[in-house]
């Protein structure tokens, strides 16, 4: 059997697993391991799965993103975000679309301060949503 045929069979099996109600991640893992076992060997399949598992949980990004989100929540709860938003609202709130401009300005300022999109989103979601 060619690799293309095995790939097409894998796609069909993947969709069948999805229709049975199996979560997407487990469906993809099952089809990937089965396909790798058929094309290479079971040792290669399980070694690849182990490497992917370890590299996912030792990823630098997954380690720091929760800390940036926590920083955004702390800024939101302490009133830093509200003060920043009120200041921007005073400068541009009287203009047409002033609320949207103020939100964008505060997002730009806070994003430049912390350097994290998730933290800025967490903070501005709590501050600007009630205003909107």
């Amino acid at each position: 059997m060619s690799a293309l045929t095995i790939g097409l069979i894998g796609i069909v099996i993947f969709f069948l697993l999805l229709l049975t109600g199996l979560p997407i991640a487990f469906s993809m893992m099952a089809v990937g391991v089965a396909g790798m076992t058929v094309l290479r060997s079971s040792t290669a399949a399980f070694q690849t799965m182990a490497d992917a598992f370890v590299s996912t949980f030792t990823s630098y990004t997954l380690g720091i993103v929760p800390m940036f989100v926590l920083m955004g929540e702390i800024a939101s709860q302490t009133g830093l975000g509200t003060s920043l938003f009120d200041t921007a609202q005073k400068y541009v709130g009287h203009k047409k679309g002033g609320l949207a401009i103020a939100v964008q300005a505060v997002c730009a300022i806070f994003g430049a301060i912390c350097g994290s999109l998730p933290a800025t989103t967490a903070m501005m979601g709590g501050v600007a949503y009630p205003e909107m």
Side-chain angles (χ1 to χ4, degrees):
M1 232 186 310
S2 71
L4 179 63
T5 307
I6 293 172
L8 292 174
I9 291 171
I11 291 172
V12 170
I13 292 172
F14 171 68
F15 284 117
L16 290 175
L17 288 173
L18 287 180
L19 289 175
T20 64
L22 193 65
I24 294 172
F26 295 121
S27 300
M28 291 176 74
M29 183 180 69
V31 170
V33 169
M36 190 86 143
T37 301
V38 169
L39 290 174
R40 304 275 186 219
S41 69
S42 61
T43 306
F46 289 114
Q47 183 64 42
T48 302
M49 188 172 67
D51 288 344
F53 182 79
V54 170
S55 68
T56 297
F57 285 106
T58 58
S59 168
Y60 177 73
T61 304
L62 289 179
I64 63 168
V65 166
M67 295 299 138
F68 278 120
V69 171
L70 177 65
M71 184 177 69
E73 282 300 313
I74 290 172
S76 179
Q77 296 299 321
T78 58
L80 173 71
T82 305
S83 300
L84 198 58
F85 183 69
D86 289 340
T87 303
Q89 185 76 351
K90 287 178 185 173
Y91 281 110
V92 295
H94 61 280
K95 296 182 180 186
K96 190 175 183 180
L99 180 63
I101 296 170
V103 169
Q104 290 176 353
V106 172
C107 282
I109 292 168
F110 193 76
I113 291 170
C114 75
S116 171
L117 178 67
T120 302
T121 304
M123 190 268 305
M124 283 308 294
V127 172
Y129 184 72
E131 202 59 40
M132 292 182 173

